[in-house]
Amino acid sequence: MRTLLRRYPDFMDMRAALVGALWNEGIEGEAESNWERVDDYRYKDPVWLRYDRRWPPSIRSGLEAFLELRSVPLLPASSSTAA
C-alpha cells in the first residue's frame, strides 16, 4: 500500500484502506496522520464502505473502528521466548 501511495499520493481509496490496516495493527498515530490526507467524505459513511468498496473485511472493519475511535484487539504476537 505504501509503495502505491508513494507513486500516487492522491489515491484516496488506497490511503483510506491504509488507515484501516494501520489501525488494525495498532499503529494509531500513523493511521491518524494518513487520515488527514483523505479528502473524500464518503469514507466516513459505514454503509458506503460496506456496499460500495470492495475491501477485505479486516480493512473495512479497521477503518470503521478508526472512525468510531474504537480500539481493535491486537493479534497475539508469536512468542519466541519461553515463559
Side-chain angles (χ1 to χ4, degrees):
M1 287 183 186
R2 289 182 179 124
T3 303
L4 236 125
L5 285 171
R6 270 189 230 108
R7 189 170 191 154
Y8 305 104
D10 295 328
F11 189 1
M12 288 302 120
D13 198 51
M14 186 58 61
R15 190 162 303 279
L18 178 62
V19 169
L22 290 169
W23 194 261
N24 276 340
E25 293 177 18
I27 308 172
E28 295 160 348
E30 192 174 341
E32 290 172 0
S33 65
N34 273 286
W35 180 251
E36 291 175 7
R37 297 192 59 192
V38 176
D39 292 331
D40 193 335
Y41 68 92
R42 294 176 295 180
Y43 290 98
K44 294 180 181 179
D45 181 5
V47 174
W48 185 78
L49 286 174
R50 182 169 300 268
Y51 297 109
D52 291 336
R53 299 277 44 100
R54 298 194 184 270
W55 289 353
S58 63
I59 291 179
R60 186 187 68 237
S61 66
L63 185 58
E64 289 172 350
F66 171 81
L67 293 171
E68 296 170 6
L69 292 176
R70 176 174 38 92
S71 294
V72 293
L74 296 176
L75 295 175
S78 60
S79 169
S80 62
T81 60

